[in-house]
Amino acid sequence: MHSNDELVDYLVRTGIITNKDVERAMRKVDRKMFVLDEYKDYAYADTPLPIYANQTISAPHMVAMMSQYLDVRPGMKILEIGSGSGYQAAILAELVGRDGKIFTVERHAKLVEMSRKNLMKWRNIKVILGNGAKGLPDEAPFDRIMVTCAARTIPEDLVKQLKNNGKMVVPVGPFYLQKLLLIEKKNNNINVTDLHCDCVFVPLINEG
Ligand code: SAH
């Protein structure tokens, strides 16, 4: 695929993108701006790609699916764990619009620098250096939380930082294979749905 539109066309044609808002957001955010120079030729392939610090920018189909499962509406306040290249944060920023806000936490300083640079034109995103496993108590609660690294178990500190009627999408499991889970908070009940999507994310490191 030779352009961002061709990549999005492919995701629509194969039935991955079903939501018009997510389609629009993915057309607006050019993936090429988020990959390293040496991988620009592969920016529009539906595959993860290396970034700095042995981390990866997720495959576009995974970004599309997680964005759809998160059920984002304009004006929402969202927490992302694992900024990486900033690509997923940009898609979320398009979905929440000017009245919404994205907080994204990254533990690698080099990736904080990369994502801040890539995200300069989005005024509704804040990139924070730190351990996202603990969430962001000062900014909580959030309408939505997206975890883009693999948790061993459901991250309870993050569940606590969800609003009532809030939702979180998180890959949970061992390093070699995870299940994508949707966690919904309703009147202080926690509902966990297995989205039946196997995935391989880099681990969420709970240190520091
Ligand atoms: N969403 C990114 C891809 C993320 S890859 C994108 O669109 O490009 C997963 C990221 O999670 C890595 O950058 C890794 O450094 C980060 N990470 C792992 N554990 C973390 C933690 N405890 N807190 C914050 N970031 C973490």
PDB file of all heavy atoms in Angstrom, residues 51-53 55-58 63 80-89 105-108 111 130-133 148-149 201-207, ligand 1:
ATOM      1  N   ILE A  51      10.236   1.141  16.911  1.00  0.00           N
ATOM      2  CA  ILE A  51      10.520   2.571  17.169  1.00  0.00           C
ATOM      3  C   ILE A  51      11.799   2.601  18.013  1.00  0.00           C
ATOM      4  O   ILE A  51      12.693   1.823  17.724  1.00  0.00           O
ATOM      5  CB  ILE A  51       9.307   3.309  17.783  1.00  0.00           C
ATOM      6  CG1 ILE A  51       8.643   2.523  18.920  1.00  0.00           C
ATOM      7  CG2 ILE A  51       8.279   3.597  16.690  1.00  0.00           C
ATOM      8  CD1 ILE A  51       7.487   3.222  19.607  1.00  0.00           C
ATOM      9  N   TYR A  52      11.946   3.457  18.989  1.00  0.00           N
ATOM     10  CA  TYR A  52      13.157   3.430  19.823  1.00  0.00           C
ATOM     11  C   TYR A  52      12.983   2.475  20.999  1.00  0.00           C
ATOM     12  O   TYR A  52      11.885   2.041  21.300  1.00  0.00           O
ATOM     13  CB  TYR A  52      13.452   4.833  20.372  1.00  0.00           C
ATOM     14  CG  TYR A  52      13.749   5.857  19.314  1.00  0.00           C
ATOM     15  CD1 TYR A  52      12.879   6.917  19.088  1.00  0.00           C
ATOM     16  CD2 TYR A  52      14.900   5.778  18.541  1.00  0.00           C
ATOM     17  CE1 TYR A  52      13.141   7.871  18.120  1.00  0.00           C
ATOM     18  CE2 TYR A  52      15.171   6.730  17.565  1.00  0.00           C
ATOM     19  CZ  TYR A  52      14.292   7.765  17.359  1.00  0.00           C
ATOM     20  OH  TYR A  52      14.551   8.709  16.405  1.00  0.00           O
ATOM     21  N   ALA A  53      14.093   2.189  21.673  1.00  0.00           N
ATOM     22  CA  ALA A  53      14.089   1.456  22.945  1.00  0.00           C
ATOM     23  C   ALA A  53      13.430   0.075  22.837  1.00  0.00           C
ATOM     24  O   ALA A  53      12.764  -0.375  23.773  1.00  0.00           O
ATOM     25  CB  ALA A  53      13.405   2.296  24.040  1.00  0.00           C
ATOM     26  N   GLN A  55      10.855  -0.870  21.311  1.00  0.00           N
ATOM     27  CA  GLN A  55       9.401  -0.831  21.383  1.00  0.00           C
ATOM     28  C   GLN A  55       8.850  -0.788  19.961  1.00  0.00           C
ATOM     29  O   GLN A  55       9.621  -0.723  19.000  1.00  0.00           O
ATOM     30  CB  GLN A  55       8.945   0.379  22.203  1.00  0.00           C
ATOM     31  CG  GLN A  55       9.587   0.462  23.576  1.00  0.00           C
ATOM     32  CD  GLN A  55       9.261  -0.727  24.462  1.00  0.00           C
ATOM     33  OE1 GLN A  55       8.129  -1.191  24.498  1.00  0.00           O
ATOM     34  NE2 GLN A  55      10.258  -1.235  25.177  1.00  0.00           N
ATOM     35  N   THR A  56       7.532  -0.865  19.820  1.00  0.00           N
ATOM     36  CA  THR A  56       6.941  -0.884  18.478  1.00  0.00           C
ATOM     37  C   THR A  56       5.724   0.032  18.389  1.00  0.00           C
ATOM     38  O   THR A  56       5.033   0.266  19.381  1.00  0.00           O
ATOM     39  CB  THR A  56       6.458  -2.313  18.092  1.00  0.00           C
ATOM     40  OG1 THR A  56       5.625  -2.810  19.131  1.00  0.00           O
ATOM     41  CG2 THR A  56       7.627  -3.253  17.881  1.00  0.00           C
ATOM     42  N   ILE A  57       5.512   0.547  17.179  1.00  0.00           N
ATOM     43  CA  ILE A  57       4.236   1.188  16.851  1.00  0.00           C
ATOM     44  C   ILE A  57       3.321   0.033  16.444  1.00  0.00           C
ATOM     45  O   ILE A  57       3.717  -0.841  15.678  1.00  0.00           O
ATOM     46  CB  ILE A  57       4.397   2.251  15.733  1.00  0.00           C
ATOM     47  CG1 ILE A  57       3.043   2.828  15.282  1.00  0.00           C
ATOM     48  CG2 ILE A  57       5.148   1.731  14.531  1.00  0.00           C
ATOM     49  CD1 ILE A  57       3.179   4.003  14.282  1.00  0.00           C
ATOM     50  N   SER A  58       2.117   0.007  16.986  1.00  0.00           N
ATOM     51  CA  SER A  58       1.211  -1.130  16.748  1.00  0.00           C
ATOM     52  C   SER A  58       0.777  -1.206  15.291  1.00  0.00           C
ATOM     53  O   SER A  58       0.854  -0.220  14.553  1.00  0.00           O
ATOM     54  CB  SER A  58      -0.038  -0.989  17.623  1.00  0.00           C
ATOM     55  OG  SER A  58       0.314  -0.808  18.967  1.00  0.00           O
ATOM     56  N   VAL A  63      -4.783  -0.778  16.058  1.00  0.00           N
ATOM     57  CA  VAL A  63      -5.143   0.593  16.435  1.00  0.00           C
ATOM     58  C   VAL A  63      -6.623   0.848  16.118  1.00  0.00           C
ATOM     59  O   VAL A  63      -7.374   1.395  16.935  1.00  0.00           O
ATOM     60  CB  VAL A  63      -4.234   1.610  15.700  1.00  0.00           C
ATOM     61  CG1 VAL A  63      -4.716   3.042  15.904  1.00  0.00           C
ATOM     62  CG2 VAL A  63      -2.785   1.454  16.171  1.00  0.00           C
ATOM     63  N   GLU A  80      -4.144   7.283  27.994  1.00  0.00           N
ATOM     64  CA  GLU A  80      -3.485   6.191  27.270  1.00  0.00           C
ATOM     65  C   GLU A  80      -2.215   5.814  28.024  1.00  0.00           C
ATOM     66  O   GLU A  80      -1.481   6.692  28.477  1.00  0.00           O
ATOM     67  CB  GLU A  80      -3.100   6.620  25.850  1.00  0.00           C
ATOM     68  CG  GLU A  80      -2.436   5.472  25.081  1.00  0.00           C
ATOM     69  CD  GLU A  80      -1.654   5.868  23.817  1.00  0.00           C
ATOM     70  OE1 GLU A  80      -1.194   7.025  23.714  1.00  0.00           O
ATOM     71  OE2 GLU A  80      -1.487   5.011  22.950  1.00  0.00           O
ATOM     72  N   ILE A  81      -1.951   4.522  28.147  1.00  0.00           N
ATOM     73  CA  ILE A  81      -0.692   4.080  28.752  1.00  0.00           C
ATOM     74  C   ILE A  81       0.186   3.512  27.641  1.00  0.00           C
ATOM     75  O   ILE A  81      -0.197   2.548  26.967  1.00  0.00           O
ATOM     76  CB  ILE A  81      -0.932   2.995  29.838  1.00  0.00           C
ATOM     77  CG1 ILE A  81      -1.997   3.449  30.848  1.00  0.00           C
ATOM     78  CG2 ILE A  81       0.387   2.656  30.528  1.00  0.00           C
ATOM     79  CD1 ILE A  81      -1.719   4.744  31.548  1.00  0.00           C
ATOM     80  N   GLY A  82       1.365   4.118  27.450  1.00  0.00           N
ATOM     81  CA  GLY A  82       2.288   3.686  26.392  1.00  0.00           C
ATOM     82  C   GLY A  82       2.186   4.579  25.173  1.00  0.00           C
ATOM     83  O   GLY A  82       1.619   4.188  24.151  1.00  0.00           O
ATOM     84  N   SER A  83       2.773   5.788  25.250  1.00  0.00           N
ATOM     85  CA  SER A  83       2.662   6.748  24.133  1.00  0.00           C
ATOM     86  C   SER A  83       3.399   6.259  22.897  1.00  0.00           C
ATOM     87  O   SER A  83       2.949   6.490  21.776  1.00  0.00           O
ATOM     88  CB  SER A  83       3.251   8.108  24.517  1.00  0.00           C
ATOM     89  OG  SER A  83       2.928   8.445  25.832  1.00  0.00           O
ATOM     90  N   GLY A  84       4.562   5.618  23.096  1.00  0.00           N
ATOM     91  CA  GLY A  84       5.358   5.118  21.970  1.00  0.00           C
ATOM     92  C   GLY A  84       5.623   6.214  20.954  1.00  0.00           C
ATOM     93  O   GLY A  84       6.191   7.259  21.271  1.00  0.00           O
ATOM     94  N   SER A  85       5.173   5.990  19.719  1.00  0.00           N
ATOM     95  CA  SER A  85       5.373   6.970  18.636  1.00  0.00           C
ATOM     96  C   SER A  85       4.391   8.133  18.719  1.00  0.00           C
ATOM     97  O   SER A  85       4.583   9.165  18.083  1.00  0.00           O
ATOM     98  CB  SER A  85       5.153   6.270  17.295  1.00  0.00           C
ATOM     99  OG  SER A  85       3.782   5.905  17.165  1.00  0.00           O
ATOM    100  N   GLY A  86       3.276   7.933  19.434  1.00  0.00           N
ATOM    101  CA  GLY A  86       2.230   8.945  19.505  1.00  0.00           C
ATOM    102  C   GLY A  86       1.073   8.690  18.541  1.00  0.00           C
ATOM    103  O   GLY A  86       0.062   9.392  18.574  1.00  0.00           O
ATOM    104  N   TYR A  87       1.198   7.669  17.699  1.00  0.00           N
ATOM    105  CA  TYR A  87       0.194   7.425  16.650  1.00  0.00           C
ATOM    106  C   TYR A  87      -1.212   7.190  17.227  1.00  0.00           C
ATOM    107  O   TYR A  87      -2.182   7.851  16.833  1.00  0.00           O
ATOM    108  CB  TYR A  87       0.638   6.227  15.803  1.00  0.00           C
ATOM    109  CG  TYR A  87      -0.320   5.840  14.699  1.00  0.00           C
ATOM    110  CD1 TYR A  87      -0.676   6.748  13.700  1.00  0.00           C
ATOM    111  CD2 TYR A  87      -0.855   4.553  14.637  1.00  0.00           C
ATOM    112  CE1 TYR A  87      -1.550   6.381  12.679  1.00  0.00           C
ATOM    113  CE2 TYR A  87      -1.714   4.181  13.610  1.00  0.00           C
ATOM    114  CZ  TYR A  87      -2.061   5.096  12.638  1.00  0.00           C
ATOM    115  OH  TYR A  87      -2.922   4.724  11.634  1.00  0.00           O
ATOM    116  N   GLN A  88      -1.311   6.263  18.181  1.00  0.00           N
ATOM    117  CA  GLN A  88      -2.627   5.969  18.765  1.00  0.00           C
ATOM    118  C   GLN A  88      -3.206   7.203  19.475  1.00  0.00           C
ATOM    119  O   GLN A  88      -4.414   7.460  19.387  1.00  0.00           O
ATOM    120  CB  GLN A  88      -2.498   4.797  19.748  1.00  0.00           C
ATOM    121  CG  GLN A  88      -3.753   4.482  20.523  1.00  0.00           C
ATOM    122  CD  GLN A  88      -4.829   3.817  19.685  1.00  0.00           C
ATOM    123  OE1 GLN A  88      -4.743   2.649  19.340  1.00  0.00           O
ATOM    124  NE2 GLN A  88      -5.869   4.572  19.341  1.00  0.00           N
ATOM    125  N   ALA A  89      -2.352   7.962  20.136  1.00  0.00           N
ATOM    126  CA  ALA A  89      -2.822   9.172  20.831  1.00  0.00           C
ATOM    127  C   ALA A  89      -3.416  10.164  19.830  1.00  0.00           C
ATOM    128  O   ALA A  89      -4.432  10.819  20.109  1.00  0.00           O
ATOM    129  CB  ALA A  89      -1.680   9.817  21.618  1.00  0.00           C
ATOM    130  N   VAL A 105       0.811   8.455  28.898  1.00  0.00           N
ATOM    131  CA  VAL A 105       1.968   8.269  29.785  1.00  0.00           C
ATOM    132  C   VAL A 105       2.957   7.299  29.144  1.00  0.00           C
ATOM    133  O   VAL A 105       2.553   6.247  28.624  1.00  0.00           O
ATOM    134  CB  VAL A 105       1.519   7.714  31.161  1.00  0.00           C
ATOM    135  CG1 VAL A 105       2.703   7.635  32.122  1.00  0.00           C
ATOM    136  CG2 VAL A 105       0.424   8.574  31.761  1.00  0.00           C
ATOM    137  N   GLU A 106       4.236   7.644  29.199  1.00  0.00           N
ATOM    138  CA  GLU A 106       5.292   6.824  28.605  1.00  0.00           C
ATOM    139  C   GLU A 106       6.478   6.764  29.560  1.00  0.00           C
ATOM    140  O   GLU A 106       6.875   7.769  30.120  1.00  0.00           O
ATOM    141  CB  GLU A 106       5.693   7.439  27.246  1.00  0.00           C
ATOM    142  CG  GLU A 106       6.899   6.831  26.580  1.00  0.00           C
ATOM    143  CD  GLU A 106       6.799   5.329  26.370  1.00  0.00           C
ATOM    144  OE1 GLU A 106       5.847   4.855  25.727  1.00  0.00           O
ATOM    145  OE2 GLU A 106       7.691   4.608  26.876  1.00  0.00           O
ATOM    146  N   ARG A 107       7.054   5.562  29.723  1.00  0.00           N
ATOM    147  CA  ARG A 107       8.148   5.422  30.703  1.00  0.00           C
ATOM    148  C   ARG A 107       9.534   5.678  30.117  1.00  0.00           C
ATOM    149  O   ARG A 107      10.482   5.902  30.857  1.00  0.00           O
ATOM    150  CB  ARG A 107       8.097   4.052  31.385  1.00  0.00           C
ATOM    151  CG  ARG A 107       8.304   2.876  30.463  1.00  0.00           C
ATOM    152  CD  ARG A 107       8.128   1.580  31.221  1.00  0.00           C
ATOM    153  NE  ARG A 107       9.229   1.323  32.136  1.00  0.00           N
ATOM    154  CZ  ARG A 107      10.379   0.739  31.797  1.00  0.00           C
ATOM    155  NH1 ARG A 107      10.584   0.356  30.548  1.00  0.00           N
ATOM    156  NH2 ARG A 107      11.317   0.522  32.695  1.00  0.00           N
ATOM    157  N   HIS A 108       9.678   5.630  28.775  1.00  0.00           N
ATOM    158  CA  HIS A 108      10.976   5.873  28.146  1.00  0.00           C
ATOM    159  C   HIS A 108      11.111   7.341  27.733  1.00  0.00           C
ATOM    160  O   HIS A 108      10.333   7.817  26.899  1.00  0.00           O
ATOM    161  CB  HIS A 108      11.130   5.024  26.882  1.00  0.00           C
ATOM    162  CG  HIS A 108      11.601   3.637  27.156  1.00  0.00           C
ATOM    163  ND1 HIS A 108      12.861   3.343  27.607  1.00  0.00           N
ATOM    164  CD2 HIS A 108      10.963   2.447  27.030  1.00  0.00           C
ATOM    165  CE1 HIS A 108      12.990   2.045  27.766  1.00  0.00           C
ATOM    166  NE2 HIS A 108      11.859   1.478  27.425  1.00  0.00           N
ATOM    167  N   LEU A 111      11.130   8.058  24.051  1.00  0.00           N
ATOM    168  CA  LEU A 111       9.826   7.950  23.384  1.00  0.00           C
ATOM    169  C   LEU A 111       8.898   9.103  23.769  1.00  0.00           C
ATOM    170  O   LEU A 111       8.033   9.490  22.983  1.00  0.00           O
ATOM    171  CB  LEU A 111       9.185   6.592  23.686  1.00  0.00           C
ATOM    172  CG  LEU A 111       9.924   5.418  23.008  1.00  0.00           C
ATOM    173  CD1 LEU A 111       9.420   4.081  23.527  1.00  0.00           C
ATOM    174  CD2 LEU A 111       9.757   5.493  21.495  1.00  0.00           C
ATOM    175  N   GLY A 130       6.509   8.813  32.881  1.00  0.00           N
ATOM    176  CA  GLY A 130       6.248   8.164  34.165  1.00  0.00           C
ATOM    177  C   GLY A 130       5.803   6.728  34.014  1.00  0.00           C
ATOM    178  O   GLY A 130       5.772   6.187  32.906  1.00  0.00           O
ATOM    179  N   ASN A 131       5.480   6.128  35.153  1.00  0.00           N
ATOM    180  CA  ASN A 131       4.984   4.751  35.167  1.00  0.00           C
ATOM    181  C   ASN A 131       3.465   4.756  35.073  1.00  0.00           C
ATOM    182  O   ASN A 131       2.770   5.021  36.044  1.00  0.00           O
ATOM    183  CB  ASN A 131       5.443   4.053  36.453  1.00  0.00           C
ATOM    184  CG  ASN A 131       4.859   2.662  36.566  1.00  0.00           C
ATOM    185  OD1 ASN A 131       4.213   2.159  35.640  1.00  0.00           O
ATOM    186  ND2 ASN A 131       5.090   2.020  37.701  1.00  0.00           N
ATOM    187  N   GLY A 132       2.961   4.411  33.895  1.00  0.00           N
ATOM    188  CA  GLY A 132       1.530   4.439  33.637  1.00  0.00           C
ATOM    189  C   GLY A 132       0.740   3.370  34.378  1.00  0.00           C
ATOM    190  O   GLY A 132      -0.485   3.460  34.457  1.00  0.00           O
ATOM    191  N   ALA A 133       1.416   2.362  34.907  1.00  0.00           N
ATOM    192  CA  ALA A 133       0.688   1.312  35.633  1.00  0.00           C
ATOM    193  C   ALA A 133      -0.065   1.916  36.822  1.00  0.00           C
ATOM    194  O   ALA A 133      -1.069   1.367  37.277  1.00  0.00           O
ATOM    195  CB  ALA A 133       1.651   0.233  36.105  1.00  0.00           C
ATOM    196  N   THR A 148      -1.782   0.355  25.851  1.00  0.00           N
ATOM    197  CA  THR A 148      -1.199  -0.178  24.614  1.00  0.00           C
ATOM    198  C   THR A 148       0.086  -0.960  24.897  1.00  0.00           C
ATOM    199  O   THR A 148       0.967  -1.046  24.066  1.00  0.00           O
ATOM    200  CB  THR A 148      -0.951   0.936  23.570  1.00  0.00           C
ATOM    201  OG1 THR A 148       0.016   1.853  24.080  1.00  0.00           O
ATOM    202  CG2 THR A 148      -2.225   1.677  23.230  1.00  0.00           C
ATOM    203  N   CYS A 149       0.166  -1.513  26.125  1.00  0.00           N
ATOM    204  CA  CYS A 149       1.212  -2.487  26.434  1.00  0.00           C
ATOM    205  C   CYS A 149       0.530  -3.577  27.270  1.00  0.00           C
ATOM    206  O   CYS A 149      -0.552  -3.371  27.813  1.00  0.00           O
ATOM    207  CB  CYS A 149       2.388  -1.831  27.172  1.00  0.00           C
ATOM    208  SG  CYS A 149       1.944  -0.539  28.332  1.00  0.00           S
ATOM    209  N   PHE A 201       1.557  -7.582  22.539  1.00  0.00           N
ATOM    210  CA  PHE A 201       2.054  -6.238  22.849  1.00  0.00           C
ATOM    211  C   PHE A 201       3.348  -6.352  23.649  1.00  0.00           C
ATOM    212  O   PHE A 201       3.598  -7.374  24.290  1.00  0.00           O
ATOM    213  CB  PHE A 201       1.025  -5.466  23.683  1.00  0.00           C
ATOM    214  CG  PHE A 201      -0.077  -4.858  22.856  1.00  0.00           C
ATOM    215  CD1 PHE A 201      -1.178  -5.599  22.480  1.00  0.00           C
ATOM    216  CD2 PHE A 201       0.004  -3.539  22.440  1.00  0.00           C
ATOM    217  CE1 PHE A 201      -2.189  -5.046  21.705  1.00  0.00           C
ATOM    218  CE2 PHE A 201      -1.000  -2.973  21.668  1.00  0.00           C
ATOM    219  CZ  PHE A 201      -2.092  -3.721  21.300  1.00  0.00           C
ATOM    220  N   VAL A 202       4.160  -5.292  23.618  1.00  0.00           N
ATOM    221  CA  VAL A 202       5.323  -5.266  24.510  1.00  0.00           C
ATOM    222  C   VAL A 202       4.785  -5.135  25.939  1.00  0.00           C
ATOM    223  O   VAL A 202       3.695  -4.616  26.154  1.00  0.00           O
ATOM    224  CB  VAL A 202       6.280  -4.088  24.175  1.00  0.00           C
ATOM    225  CG1 VAL A 202       6.862  -4.251  22.788  1.00  0.00           C
ATOM    226  CG2 VAL A 202       5.568  -2.747  24.294  1.00  0.00           C
ATOM    227  N   PRO A 203       5.539  -5.643  26.933  1.00  0.00           N
ATOM    228  CA  PRO A 203       4.998  -5.666  28.293  1.00  0.00           C
ATOM    229  C   PRO A 203       4.857  -4.298  28.946  1.00  0.00           C
ATOM    230  O   PRO A 203       5.636  -3.373  28.657  1.00  0.00           O
ATOM    231  CB  PRO A 203       6.020  -6.520  29.056  1.00  0.00           C
ATOM    232  CG  PRO A 203       7.241  -6.538  28.232  1.00  0.00           C
ATOM    233  CD  PRO A 203       6.852  -6.290  26.821  1.00  0.00           C
ATOM    234  N   LEU A 204       3.853  -4.176  29.782  1.00  0.00           N
ATOM    235  CA  LEU A 204       3.730  -3.024  30.672  1.00  0.00           C
ATOM    236  C   LEU A 204       4.694  -3.277  31.829  1.00  0.00           C
ATOM    237  O   LEU A 204       4.602  -4.281  32.517  1.00  0.00           O
ATOM    238  CB  LEU A 204       2.293  -2.932  31.185  1.00  0.00           C
ATOM    239  CG  LEU A 204       1.994  -1.828  32.186  1.00  0.00           C
ATOM    240  CD1 LEU A 204       0.740  -1.093  31.770  1.00  0.00           C
ATOM    241  CD2 LEU A 204       1.794  -2.360  33.585  1.00  0.00           C
ATOM    242  N   ILE A 205       5.655  -2.388  31.978  1.00  0.00           N
ATOM    243  CA  ILE A 205       6.672  -2.528  33.017  1.00  0.00           C
ATOM    244  C   ILE A 205       6.215  -1.737  34.229  1.00  0.00           C
ATOM    245  O   ILE A 205       6.093  -0.510  34.144  1.00  0.00           O
ATOM    246  CB  ILE A 205       8.043  -1.976  32.535  1.00  0.00           C
ATOM    247  CG1 ILE A 205       8.405  -2.510  31.147  1.00  0.00           C
ATOM    248  CG2 ILE A 205       9.122  -2.246  33.561  1.00  0.00           C
ATOM    249  CD1 ILE A 205       8.823  -3.949  31.075  1.00  0.00           C
ATOM    250  N   ASN A 206       5.955  -2.431  35.340  1.00  0.00           N
ATOM    251  CA  ASN A 206       5.431  -1.721  36.508  1.00  0.00           C
ATOM    252  C   ASN A 206       6.553  -1.388  37.487  1.00  0.00           C
ATOM    253  O   ASN A 206       6.646  -1.953  38.561  1.00  0.00           O
ATOM    254  CB  ASN A 206       4.341  -2.560  37.170  1.00  0.00           C
ATOM    255  CG  ASN A 206       3.588  -1.779  38.203  1.00  0.00           C
ATOM    256  OD1 ASN A 206       3.871  -0.594  38.426  1.00  0.00           O
ATOM    257  ND2 ASN A 206       2.643  -2.410  38.871  1.00  0.00           N
ATOM    258  N   GLU A 207       7.401  -0.464  37.078  1.00  0.00           N
ATOM    259  CA  GLU A 207       8.523  -0.048  37.939  1.00  0.00           C
ATOM    260  C   GLU A 207       8.704   1.453  37.871  1.00  0.00           C
ATOM    261  O   GLU A 207       8.463   2.050  36.828  1.00  0.00           O
ATOM    262  CB  GLU A 207       9.833  -0.664  37.440  1.00  0.00           C
ATOM    263  CG  GLU A 207       9.963  -2.146  37.709  1.00  0.00           C
ATOM    264  CD  GLU A 207      11.102  -2.764  36.922  1.00  0.00           C
ATOM    265  OE1 GLU A 207      11.836  -2.022  36.256  1.00  0.00           O
ATOM    266  OE2 GLU A 207      11.216  -3.991  36.980  1.00  0.00           O
TER     267      GLU A 207
HETATM  268  N1  SAH B   1       0.640   3.457  21.497  1.00  0.00           N
HETATM  269  C1  SAH B   1       1.965   3.416  20.879  1.00  0.00           C
HETATM  270  C2  SAH B   1       2.590   2.049  20.891  1.00  0.00           C
HETATM  271  C3  SAH B   1       2.970   1.668  22.231  1.00  0.00           C
HETATM  272  S1  SAH B   1       4.175   0.382  22.415  1.00  0.00           S
HETATM  273  C4  SAH B   1       1.939   3.966  19.479  1.00  0.00           C
HETATM  274  O1  SAH B   1       0.851   4.300  18.970  1.00  0.00           O
HETATM  275  O2  SAH B   1       3.012   4.084  18.871  1.00  0.00           O
HETATM  276  C5  SAH B   1       4.042   0.267  24.161  1.00  0.00           C
HETATM  277  C6  SAH B   1       4.668   1.393  24.925  1.00  0.00           C
HETATM  278  O3  SAH B   1       4.367   1.212  26.296  1.00  0.00           O
HETATM  279  C7  SAH B   1       6.191   1.429  24.828  1.00  0.00           C
HETATM  280  O4  SAH B   1       6.591   2.661  24.320  1.00  0.00           O
HETATM  281  C8  SAH B   1       6.645   1.224  26.285  1.00  0.00           C
HETATM  282  O5  SAH B   1       7.804   1.971  26.602  1.00  0.00           O
HETATM  283  C9  SAH B   1       5.442   1.718  27.053  1.00  0.00           C
HETATM  284  N2  SAH B   1       5.322   1.244  28.435  1.00  0.00           N
HETATM  285  C10 SAH B   1       5.548   0.014  28.953  1.00  0.00           C
HETATM  286  N3  SAH B   1       5.306  -0.010  30.271  1.00  0.00           N
HETATM  287  C11 SAH B   1       4.908   1.254  30.609  1.00  0.00           C
HETATM  288  C12 SAH B   1       4.518   1.875  31.827  1.00  0.00           C
HETATM  289  N4  SAH B   1       4.472   1.201  32.981  1.00  0.00           N
HETATM  290  N5  SAH B   1       4.194   3.171  31.797  1.00  0.00           N
HETATM  291  C13 SAH B   1       4.227   3.887  30.654  1.00  0.00           C
HETATM  292  N6  SAH B   1       4.582   3.359  29.459  1.00  0.00           N
HETATM  293  C14 SAH B   1       4.914   2.045  29.439  1.00  0.00           C
END
